Amino acid sequence: MTLLTALPAPGSYCQAGTGRWSSAFAVTELANASIAAAGLELAQLIAALNLAPVAPEVTVDQRLASLWFSCSLRPVGWELPSLWDPIAGNYKTADGWIRLHTNLPQHRRAALQVLGCEGNRSGAEAAVRHWQAGILEKEIVTAGGAAAAMRSRADWLAHPQGSAVAAEPLIHWISPRKIQLRNRPEATADRPLAGLRVLDLTRVLAGPVSTRTLAGFGAEVLRIDPPGWDEPGVISDISLGKRMAFLDLRSNEGRQRFETLLSNTDVLVHGYRPGALDGLGYGADARRRIAPNAVEVTLDAYGWTGPWALRRGFDSLVQMSAGIADTGRVQARTDNPHPLPVQALDHATGYLMAAAALSALAAAARGEEVPVARLSLARTAELIAGLQKHAEGLELTKPADSDYNPEIENSGWGPGRRLAAPLGLDTSRMRWDRPASRCGSAPACWLQ
């Protein structure tokens, strides 16, 4: 009956299904537990709202939970675009390895500017070979790009940022206050989040996973992106159940509409780097003034303390920095970085963010003070580094036909089949009322 601070104990939820990811780390165990955390916090909210006489039992399907840590949509008659820009990837340096993340145009420009090479893979490889990994990482980050040198676990824990992150809580609850929950008469034990307004200000991948999870139990999720934004390769996976809208927060009209949306929001989820919303005029004090009764959940990449707290980062980069890719390399007996088989830091953090939002809502329903929840990919990296492997079953490679729902989902890109839901409660099962849709395909307004 307290705000979430750790993964749930294995015996606190039921488990079905078999199968596991092959990895040096407990990827499947993390999938089970992080998804279960969301289910258990939802069960507590159901009880707190008196939607059921007792908190319902939670069941996680291990096979499906593991598969949902990868892509959940199988296109029918069309193909997903590549997840990665051609320049993105791992490169051999003069003294080790570095990963460049160039999916965003500004990050690509920064990397190529520092390297001084043509915009192709062979040119980048030739240029990177002459650099020391740590120096190149620093130069690209300083130029506004995103990169990570490969470090060992020991090196990371000895690094000022690694040391700072290791001392942070898994979920950092700050600035508690009393909030008044809006009445939601449409909420039932079957659709406990019906009528809940969730404002999604997140990008790939953890934040969108969290709001997708809330949509799976009936929440109205409205995601706001700047005009023209897109995330090819992943948006058809993470926009499931949501309405996707464009707003220009640098225009007067966009700001007015955004503030109207925010003032009527029940849950705000954002993944901007610390200080970014402040730069737009929507710092913590402004958010609290505009939306005094909104639950708030936020994340960043490298943690909330330490010298890298403001650094740009993504799952693949944090795996390089935090020693995960190097540990996998050692176990695989290879010279190359060997990351996790899926972007587990993103997905696990996303489910934990959803669990944190549900935990805060339950606290509010009980009349308790509700803090802001802060999570980070780097802290989740410390979590998986300490988990023990115990999952059983055959190694997973890809989904089977039987892992998908039989119904066709008419997404914004074409028909497809979605993986069956990995999470269920006695009273309800995760399901989505809307197919995945393109960025900017909906107006920026609440439906109810």
Side-chain angles (χ1 to χ4, degrees), residues 235-275:
I235 200 68
S236 59
D237 188 33
I238 58 177
S239 66
L240 176 64
K242 309 176 189 182
R243 295 170 59 247
M244 310 286 288
F246 285 151
L247 273 184
D248 182 1
L249 298 189
R250 300 188 184 278
S251 72
N252 289 333
E253 180 184 356
R255 294 175 68 84
Q256 290 174 5
R257 187 172 297 186
F258 174 73
E259 290 175 18
T260 299
L261 290 172
L262 183 56
S263 68
N264 291 287
T265 291
D266 300 312
V267 178
L268 171 64
V269 185
H270 58 98
Y272 288 90
R273 286 189 302 143

Side-chain angles (χ1 to χ4, degrees), residues 227-404:
W229 182 267
D230 196 9
E231 296 169 13
V234 299
I235 200 68
S236 59
D237 188 33
I238 58 177
S239 66
L240 176 64
K242 309 176 189 182
R243 295 170 59 247
M244 310 286 288
F246 285 151
L247 273 184
D248 182 1
L249 298 189
R250 300 188 184 278
S251 72
N252 289 333
E253 180 184 356
R255 294 175 68 84
Q256 290 174 5
R257 187 172 297 186
F258 174 73
E259 290 175 18
T260 299
L261 290 172
L262 183 56
S263 68
N264 291 287
T265 291
D266 300 312
V267 178
L268 171 64
V269 185
H270 58 98
Y272 288 90
R273 286 189 302 143
L277 281 177
D278 302 62
L280 291 169
Y282 298 116
D285 291 342
R287 297 194 300 271
R288 186 168 293 194
R289 173 180 55 80
I290 297 169
N293 292 310
V295 165
E296 185 171 334
V297 179
T298 185
L299 83 155
D300 77 352
Y302 278 104
W304 295 90
T305 60
W308 288 7
L310 301 181
R311 178 171 289 209
R312 300 169 184 84
F314 300 88
D315 181 308
S316 58
L317 299 184
V318 174
Q319 288 194 45
M320 290 287 279
S321 298
I324 290 176
D326 183 68
T327 300
R329 176 193 67 79
V330 172
Q331 188 187 74
R333 298 179 181 178
T334 179
D335 292 332
N336 303 336
H338 200 83
L340 303 176
V342 290
Q343 291 185 277
L345 307 185
D346 264 330
H347 287 272
T349 305
Y351 288 110
L352 289 172
M353 290 172 68
L358 295 167
S359 186
L361 289 167
R366 296 192 294 264
E368 303 166 5
E369 288 192 326
V370 178
V372 173
R374 302 196 305 191
L375 299 89
S376 74
L377 301 182
R379 184 58 183 82
T380 302
E382 295 308 304
L383 176 65
I384 195 172
L387 280 185
Q388 297 297 312
K389 295 170 62 176
H390 55 74
E392 298 180 350
L394 297 176
E395 292 183 4
L396 294 171
T397 53
K398 60 181 181 179
D401 286 344
S402 58
D403 294 318
Y404 291 91

Side-chain angles (χ1 to χ4, degrees), residues 33 50 101 127 202 354 370 407 436:
N50 296 314
H101 198 291
T202 66
V370 178
E407 300 84 8

Side-chain angles (χ1 to χ4, degrees), residues 91 93 95-100 132-138 141 146-152 156 302 308 311 316-323 325-326 337:
Y91 291 84
T93 67
D95 63 345
W97 289 87
I98 192 169
R99 183 170 184 86
L100 307 183
Q132 291 184 333
I135 295 175
L136 180 56
E137 172 191 73
K138 182 178 180 180
V141 169
M150 186 173 72
R151 292 171 172 84
S152 68
W156 176 243
Y302 278 104
W308 288 7
R311 178 171 289 209
S316 58
L317 299 184
V318 174
Q319 288 194 45
M320 290 287 279
S321 298
D326 183 68

